[in-house]
Amino acid sequence: MDDEALLERQARLQREAEAFVREHGLIELLGRAGRVVQLGSTVTGLMVWRDVDFGVDAPGLTAAAAWETMRPVLGRCSSLHYEDDRDERRHYFVMRIEGWKVDVSLWFVGMPPGVEAFQSELPARLTEESRLTILRLKDAWHRLPHYPDVVSAWDIYEAVLDDGVRTLGELDAFLAARGLPTSG
């Protein structure tokens, strides 16, 4: 896919994501648990597939209350993964709804401060060249079995923005040096 097509697809996915979030009332639904922050590529403008991410600052939220918050969308899920993630201090839901991956972290001791900082700082760090590089690399990776659970967008962002990675081969070397799977 050439650069123009990557940018056009990103813009189209951005519009589709906004419509999906609005049609399903996700901000309002999650807002019942706490302060909602939309995260990920829908915020940074780095979309290559149908994926929306949310963080909810929900101090004191119990597992039962987290499930009650999510109940209205559970019937629309074609798949659901839940973790009571004590290490990250969150109730973590990953759902597939109408072809979209919906990733929700409900932080029960407060949203980690670095989450919002990263989301606001990342777009400012992007140049036209680094943005296209990230889109190319994410496009190559988003269909692979290790993405996004083992190798994530964060790994790609770090490789491009902090280590100067520009090609798939360079990304593979970056990942291999960290003991992560490669695209090969």
Side-chain angles (χ1 to χ4, degrees), residues 49 140-153 155-156 172 175 179-184:
W49 64 303
W141 263 90
H142 86 276
R143 293 177 197 89
L144 297 177
H146 297 296
Y147 189 86
D149 298 320
V150 178
V151 173
S152 70
D155 295 310
I156 295 171
D172 283 344
L175 296 170
L180 294 170
T182 64
S183 65

Side-chain angles (χ1 to χ4, degrees), residues 107-172:
W107 281 287
F108 53 80
V109 294
M111 187 177 299
V115 171
E116 285 185 276
F118 179 84
Q119 287 301 136
S120 63
E121 293 166 7
L122 179 61
R125 294 183 64 198
L126 295 172
T127 64
E128 182 177 335
E129 186 244 352
S130 64
R131 177 182 163 101
L132 284 166
T133 299
I134 289 169
L135 287 170
R136 276 188 226 107
L137 294 173
K138 284 180 70 177
D139 182 59
W141 263 90
H142 86 276
R143 293 177 197 89
L144 297 177
H146 297 296
Y147 189 86
D149 298 320
V150 178
V151 173
S152 70
W154 309 105
D155 295 310
I156 295 171
Y157 302 159
E158 178 184 8
V160 171
L161 297 173
D162 297 337
D163 282 38
V165 164
R166 293 296 178 261
T167 67
L168 188 55
E170 291 173 353
L171 179 59
D172 283 344

Side-chain angles (χ1 to χ4, degrees), residues 33-117:
R35 184 175 62 86
V36 179
V37 178
Q38 196 158 349
L39 305 169
S41 58
T42 59
V43 175
T44 61
L46 296 168
M47 293 190 76
V48 296
W49 64 303
R50 290 188 165 136
D51 175 36
V52 293
D53 304 281
F54 295 94
V56 181
D57 189 20
L61 189 72
T62 65
W67 280 98
E68 184 59 28
T69 297
M70 301 306 296
R71 189 174 49 77
V73 294
L74 297 180
R76 297 181 230 165
C77 295
S78 59
S79 71
L80 169 67
H81 172 81
Y82 168 76
E83 288 179 44
D84 186 353
D85 186 349
R86 294 293 164 178
D87 291 337
E88 294 289 326
R89 301 177 179 182
R90 66 182 175 169
H91 302 290
Y92 182 56
F93 292 82
V94 179
M95 301 160 282
R96 299 281 179 177
I97 302 173
E98 298 172 7
W100 286 84
K101 176 183 163 276
V102 180
D103 187 308
V104 178
S105 293
L106 297 139
W107 281 287
F108 53 80
V109 294
M111 187 177 299
V115 171
E116 285 185 276

